Each structure stands twice: as C-alpha cells, then as structure tokens.
Amino acid sequence: MGEIVLAAKCTHVPTMLMSEQEGPIKGTRQPAIDGHMEIARRAKALGADTVVICDTHWVINAGFHINANSSFKGLFTSNEFPQFIQDLEYDYLGNPELGDAIAATASDMGIYTLSHHLDSLELEYGSLVPMRFMSREHEMKVVSVAACCTVHDHAESRVVGEAIRKAVEASDSKVLLVASGSLSHKIWANKDYAANNGTFTISSEFNRQMDLHVLEMWQRGDHATFLKILSDYANLCCGEGSMHDTAMLYGALGWDSYDKPCEVVTEYFPSSGTGQTNVIFPV
Ligand SMILES: [Fe+2]
C-alpha cells in the first residue's frame, strides 16, 4: 500500500538557479538550495519513489489538471522571466499511473480533473526548480499538479489534495508531496524594483509580519487556526497562485485535523518583493 511519507511547502525562486552562476546573485540563495536538498534526503530516507508537486506556476482557467506524462525531457526558458531562467536542461521520469489515479479519484469525488500525457505539455518552473536541486540527492518520478487556479476556490483544491492522498494510498507509491509556492507574493512594481534592491527585499512590511506569524502558527502546529485565515491571507497578501498549492497540501494532510509542528528548513527570506521559505510538514 502506498503512502505520503513526507510533505513540504517549498520556494522555487529563479534566483536559486542564478545563485550557482557567475554574477551578483552567486551564492546568495544557498540556504534555499540546501533546504531542497535536505527535503530530498529526508524523502529518500523515508523511501519516497515519487514527488507530487502542486505547482503555482501552472495557470489553469477551467477544471483541474495533472501532467502525468511518462517522462519529461527538454530545455526550459521561462516566459515570465526569460532573463532569469534560460535553457534549463531537465530529464525526469514520470509516474503516469499515479497521475491518472489522482485525476480519476478527484473526479469521482466531484472535482472535474484531467490527466495529460503530452510531450508538448511542459513542466513549469514551480516543478523544475525544486527538481533541479532535489534530484541531486534523490531521483524521484515526477507528477505535476496545476495549482495556479484562477477560477477555483480553496474548497475544491482541498478535495484535490484529499484525492492525492486517496490515490497514493491505493497505489504502491511512496510519495513526497510538495506545495511549490511562496508565502506572501506581492512582487515589486516594475518601476520600484531597482530603487529598492528588489531582488533581496520584501515589498510590504504588513506581508512580512503576516508571513512570520503564519510560520509561527505552522511551527506550533496550529494549522486549524491557519486554515481559518487561509482565504484572507491569500487575498490580502497576494498568495502565490492564490495559495491553491497550500489548500491541496492541507487537503492531503487531513485539513484542520492535522496538528503536527512544522520544521522550517530554510529561514524565511525576501525575494523580488515576496516572502519565501522551505518548510517540512511531517506526516
Ligand atoms: Fe513563483
């Protein structure tokens, strides 16, 4: 019988890639890179064979969608930040049976979800950046779940999360579940970016204080209270992808009955106006 062996909320900022290239960013995102590698080491120790990534860079405008291709290989340039992510090489195996099972389970639970096997349907960088670093420590098959949900509510994403867990438990896979997205996500206005050293700062002190408060709640295991503010937090602090990745994560973990204290493996850091971290949600 399969199981989710570990879960995490993960950053995927492009500066993590630039941190390993010559230039002004070099070395500055090492703690975030180390966090991804630590999560992968823990997943390996727990026997994970597959990572299911809820990706806040995959924008969807109807239904829910899963990239369940059998393999992913290519060169990725971000259409959002072509100056930051260029020709990123990737080569990963997929887990089509599990991706299909998640879609079928979610649909059975009333949430219309499609699973796709298309070589031209690329992974987005919310999946590719974590895989870049995690794969150094542990090779895992990848299933990517769209989590930039423009016309959906958190109650639906919660059910998708429940379907992920149900499908995993009916499979023979051991899974690392990753919610790939930031905390607050108010990117600096273009005209203000340079004057505010935008790469390394947050755009709103209110957002920073809320992010720190949320991290405290997570570390205390007070998820039930967090879930009461999730919608307001996502709205007021511009949560990435409206934080549908987070709603899916909690759906998989049991929503407000989940009470485990989280472990911050990468200290909170600002990036391009947004709030970022890597946090383990023990199962
Ligand atoms: Fe992002």
Side-chain angles (χ1 to χ4, degrees):
M1 190 177 118
E3 59 178 326
I4 295 173
V5 294
L6 190 68
K9 170 90 176 170
C10 289
T11 182
H12 55 238
V13 288
T15 44
M16 292 171 73
L17 302 170
M18 297 157 74
S19 184
E20 295 193 328
Q21 298 160 6
E22 292 306 322
I25 310 295
K26 190 169 183 184
T28 57
R29 297 300 189 220
Q30 195 58 47
I33 294 168
D34 292 344
H36 279 192
M37 288 164 56
E38 175 61 18
I39 290 165
R41 276 192 293 272
R42 306 259 191 115
K44 184 178 187 176
L46 292 163
D49 57 74
T50 298
V51 55
V52 174
I53 306 181
C54 304
D55 184 335
T56 53
H57 279 258
W58 183 359
V59 183
I60 49 169
N61 296 320
F64 283 84
H65 297 271
I66 294 173
N67 193 336
N69 212 357
S70 54
S71 64
F72 306 95
K73 186 177 166 70
L75 280 180
F76 178 83
T77 294
S78 166
N79 52 18
E80 297 170 49
F81 291 118
Q83 77 278 38
F84 292 159
I85 307 184
Q86 287 181 7
D87 293 334
L88 174 69
E89 239 183 312
Y90 61 93
D91 187 359
Y92 307 115
L93 289 176
N95 187 335
E97 299 78 17
L98 180 61
D100 292 351
I102 294 168
T105 305
S107 294
D108 285 349
M109 294 167 80
I111 303 297
Y112 183 63
T113 304
L114 294 172
S115 184
H116 304 279
H117 303 232
L118 298 162
D119 289 339
S120 56
L121 181 62
E122 289 190 317
L123 292 175
E124 296 293 334
Y125 82 74
S127 301
L128 290 173
V129 171
M131 285 311 299
R132 172 84 171 174
F133 301 110
M134 290 183 181
S135 63
R136 290 178 186 170
E137 289 294 331
H138 184 37
E139 256 182 50
M140 290 176 279
K141 295 183 256 184
V142 186
V143 174
S144 187
V145 180
C148 187
C149 309
T150 60
V151 291
H152 314 67
D153 63 33
H154 285 147
E156 294 172 281
S157 293
R158 172 184 176 175
V159 176
V160 172
E162 290 167 356
I164 290 171
R165 177 172 175 169
K166 206 169 164 186
V168 167
E169 288 178 349
S171 76
D172 55 8
S173 295
K174 292 200 186 301
V175 167
L176 165 65
L177 177 62
V178 169
S180 179
S182 71
L183 297 172
S184 71
H185 200 261
K186 187 169 188 261
I187 294 178
W188 279 108
N190 190 53
K191 64 180 170 44
D192 298 330
Y193 191 94
N196 288 284
N197 188 24
T199 306
F200 299 109
T201 55
I202 192 138
S203 60
S204 156
E205 184 60 25
F206 177 79
N207 286 0
R208 195 175 81 87
Q209 292 301 326
M210 280 304 301
D211 290 346
L212 293 173
H213 184 59
V214 163
L215 281 175
E216 244 172 56
M217 281 194 273
W218 287 0
Q219 286 172 291
R220 282 201 312 269
D222 190 6
H223 304 288
T225 303
F226 170 73
L227 288 167
K228 289 179 187 165
I229 69 162
L230 170 59
S231 284
D232 287 335
Y233 175 50
N235 282 335
L236 296 169
C237 299
C238 313
E240 185 165 25
S242 301
M243 300 196 87
H244 282 274
D245 63 326
T246 306
M248 291 173 186
L249 177 79
Y250 275 103
L253 294 175
W255 203 251
D256 57 2
S257 69
Y258 178 71
D259 61 0
K260 296 224 173 5
C262 290
E263 180 185 350
V264 175
V265 289
T266 299
E267 203 180 316
Y268 180 75
F269 66 99
S271 181
S272 300
T274 69
Q276 304 287 335
T277 185
N278 287 312
V279 179
I280 286 179
F281 285 68
V283 177

